[in-house]
Amino acid sequence: MSVRIDPGVRPAILAALYLAFAELGLFEAAAILGAFPTYVARFVIMTIACYAVFAWLRQRAPSLRNLTVLPYLIRSVLFATTTVLLILAFSASPSLNHTYTIFMLHIAASYMIARLPLPLRVPLTKGRLWDLPFALAVAMLLTGIYLYHAVGAAPEADPRATADGVRAALFAALAALSFAASNIMATVFDREDVRGVEGRPLSSLEVTYLGSIVALLAAPLIAIVLQAPVTPEAFTGSGAGLPVLGSRRGDA
């Protein structure tokens, strides 16, 4: 018996498969190579891939002047920020599941952002803050994350693994917030009829290309940031520093 997939669902399935393979690759690369090389390689590959698709479609790459259009610039920065935070989370994470359960908070973040009084011509949603079906789903999500990290945690976990888990959770939560805001921006493009300097809305491929360019331009700054120790003690101002993120696993 053959299984037929509704045409409207196919893009979502393909996107899910792409994300699954891409993020697994990030996890392995961040563990082996370190955060910064993985970060640069990620966006070099994506930029080349975008150029290849542009050539296949016989389409010119969009002008970088589109980054002067504020919504496209914001979306590009969020796109790059999400990947950086995910790489940092993966490089510190004691397990892939540990990171992904926290990253699923992007669902709750999207729910909240969509209900903020943003200065838009058309509101993102007219739903109340407590919109029962969605709020219930978010509550179940938060409960599941709590059960995984609190109830299911080992009673005598290694202190270093615990510290790594805290760092991974922090970066994954920030990545979830950035990812949610990035998704919201796609809706803003449609609602606000945002157009590029060419006078037309940019496609998702073109916006992805712009995001990759922004990431590569910001690479030197990211390199400087990754040299600083990012530990729980760095936020409290006490305690001895743990290893710097971005170094290979197992390094002292």
Side-chain angles (χ1 to χ4, degrees), residues 24 102 115 133 149 162 168 247:
L24 282 173
I102 296 295
R115 284 159 175 76
H149 287 273
T162 301
S247 60

Side-chain angles (χ1 to χ4, degrees), residues 53-94:
V53 176
F54 287 140
W56 180 64
L57 295 174
R58 297 183 179 180
Q59 172 186 338
R60 291 177 56 190
S63 170
L64 294 182
R65 289 190 298 120
N66 284 297
L67 293 175
T68 63
V69 180
L70 188 59
Y72 287 132
L73 177 60
I74 294 173
R75 172 62 170 76
S76 297
V77 171
L78 290 171
F79 174 76
T81 301
T82 300
T83 301
V84 172
L85 291 170
L86 275 178
I87 290 173
L88 289 172
F90 287 146
S91 66
S93 176

